[in-house]
Amino acid sequence: MRKFWIREDELAARLRGSRPAPREEFVNAVAARVRGRSPGWRSSRVVFAMVALVVGLAVFGALGGFSQAANAVSQATGISNANNAGNDENGGKGNQGNQGNQGNQGDEGTPSDDQYKGKTTICHRTGSSKNPWVLITVSNNAVPAHKAHGDTLPGPNGTCPGPPIP
């Protein structure tokens, strides 16, 4: 096999051309061994991998890994039902109760709560026909500008668009 980045000079070409060819018996023996191999060992590896995957997922689920993973994602992104549902904790105003954590003063929160102090999650109008809304968290100072061009608060369960920004 010739590699495209190696230039072949005259000596290499002569040496390659004069090398002995393998004996026909050797070629036939190798071909017979290759043909004689059953592909069963490949399928058993796949079956073993699938069984290991199913067992691993069962153990992960039994130990509560899925709920912990979902909780970690919601904390990392700041999107959760408690933050976006417009529930009574936030006075029915969507995520606006998150502004500066006004509704949680005196309560002990998680370290990720500090990340969103002074910020509000809104439904941002993108102008795209395929994806007209996107859920973003902005500084409270930017809320009036977003309100001016039609952004809204998130609706129930973080759906967009929601109620208008007051």
Side-chain angles (χ1 to χ4, degrees), residues 13 42 47 102:
R42 289 184 192 152
V47 168
Q102 293 167 353

Side-chain angles (χ1 to χ4, degrees), residues 22-137:
R23 293 185 317 214
E24 190 172 337
E25 297 87 26
F26 175 74
V27 172
N28 290 337
V30 170
R33 285 182 75 182
V34 170
R35 273 189 237 114
R37 256 192 206 158
S38 73
W41 62 274
R42 289 184 192 152
S43 61
S44 64
R45 284 185 181 179
V46 170
V47 168
F48 177 75
M50 290 295 191
V51 168
L53 176 67
V54 168
V55 168
L57 287 174
V59 169
F60 188 69
L63 297 175
F66 293 114
S67 63
Q68 287 183 2
N71 188 26
V73 169
S74 67
Q75 284 184 357
T77 60
I79 300 173
S80 69
N81 288 339
N83 287 342
N84 293 331
N87 56 19
D88 293 335
E89 216 175 278
N90 292 334
K93 295 182 181 177
N95 207 17
Q96 197 173 18
N98 225 10
Q99 294 180 3
N101 267 351
Q102 293 167 353
N104 293 332
Q105 290 178 354
D107 294 343
E108 289 187 29
T110 63
S112 63
D113 290 340
D114 293 339
Q115 178 181 357
Y116 295 101
K117 283 187 178 176
K119 296 183 180 182
T120 302
T121 300
I122 61 170
C123 292
H124 177 67
R125 185 186 304 265
T126 64
S128 165
S129 60
K130 289 184 179 180
N131 189 16
W133 299 94
V134 64
L135 201 61
I136 62 172
T137 301

Side-chain angles (χ1 to χ4, degrees), residues 143-162:
V143 170
H146 283 277
K147 178 184 175 181
H149 77 81
D151 290 353
T152 67
L153 293 174
N157 295 324
T159 57
C160 288

